[in-house]
Amino acid sequence: MVKKIFAQAYIWLILFLMYLPILVLVAFSFTTATNVGEWTGFTFDLFPRLFQSSEIMIALGNTLIIAFTSAAVSVLLGASGAVGAFYSSKKWRKAYDSVTQIPIVNAEIVMALSLTVMFVFLGSVIFKTNLFSFWTLLIGHVVLSVPFVYVSVKPKLQQMDPSLYEAAIDLGATPRQALNKVIIPEIIPGVISGFLLALTLSLDDFIITAFTRGSGLLNGEGTIETLSTLVQAKIKKGPIPPEMRALTTIIFAVVVIGAISISLYRAYRAKNASKLKARKKLYER
């Protein structure tokens, strides 16, 4: 009993320490004070000011465009690679798994530096131009995310009966039809998890963004700014703009609503599945 109470208290303490900084930012998003810790009165003024700030809106737009684009490309490459590795020989499958694990366990700064060296070499020796742009930034985010999509899809393939694909082929389906109607429905949960993970990685990334970005996107001819690079630039000059606290609150609210919605949907599906199972047993009797 004592161990159980201690374990629960420890978990709640960790959760409290994790969410306390976020809750502080949320609380101070309802005051216009420049510094967190100063309270100048309750107000919603930061939220309309947030949408009036072109600098933050441009950074937010760049962040979302890069995140969704890189997540989509990463899902396409990662899921395709997982399917290809699953139906490869055991020797090649182990090789693919080992190669995929390297970017996951490797330090992100190493990846960022290696990509930078590669782009500088290609630009100066082969293409004779500066390659740094939206495309180099996109490649960096895709390289970061693909391994995580791979490891998200792989377990779903392992849970699938490997003979389903051969059975579909034997029954007259083309390889594309077997892929679309047999394999893809089985790995959809892993694909969705991989997409969300890739999206989160891209939204949070700073190191690869700082090393591989160039001009373009919503900044026009200026250097691409994302939320992470904008915050870092503002910290160098002084306090972070108060409007960023309002943005933090909105992002936190969206995440919480999304998590609750997914939990309710899963509970609803589980409840319906149990009802169908009970009805099936009743009919069998």
Side-chain angles (χ1 to χ4, degrees), residues 142-181:
V142 170
V143 170
L144 173 67
S145 303
V146 164
F148 292 92
V149 176
Y150 179 92
V151 298
S152 297
V153 175
K154 179 184 172 183
K156 297 301 178 182
L157 288 167
Q158 293 174 335
Q159 296 170 8
M160 183 184 68
D161 187 350
S163 61
L164 288 176
Y165 179 80
E166 287 79 2
I169 296 296
D170 292 340
L171 291 173
T174 63
R176 178 174 293 182
Q177 289 175 333
L179 176 66
N180 293 334
K181 295 184 178 181

Side-chain angles (χ1 to χ4, degrees), residues 32-81:
T32 56
T34 302
N35 297 316
V36 175
E38 300 176 2
W39 187 266
T40 58
F42 185 88
T43 179
F44 290 98
D45 288 349
L46 289 183
F47 292 91
R49 281 168 52 181
L50 166 66
F51 294 101
Q52 292 169 4
S53 173
S54 60
E55 190 177 37
I56 296 178
M57 288 295 101
I58 288 174
L60 177 61
N62 288 337
T63 302
L64 294 176
I65 292 172
I66 294 166
F68 279 96
T69 305
S70 64
V73 176
S74 299
V75 163
L76 180 62
L77 296 177
S80 301

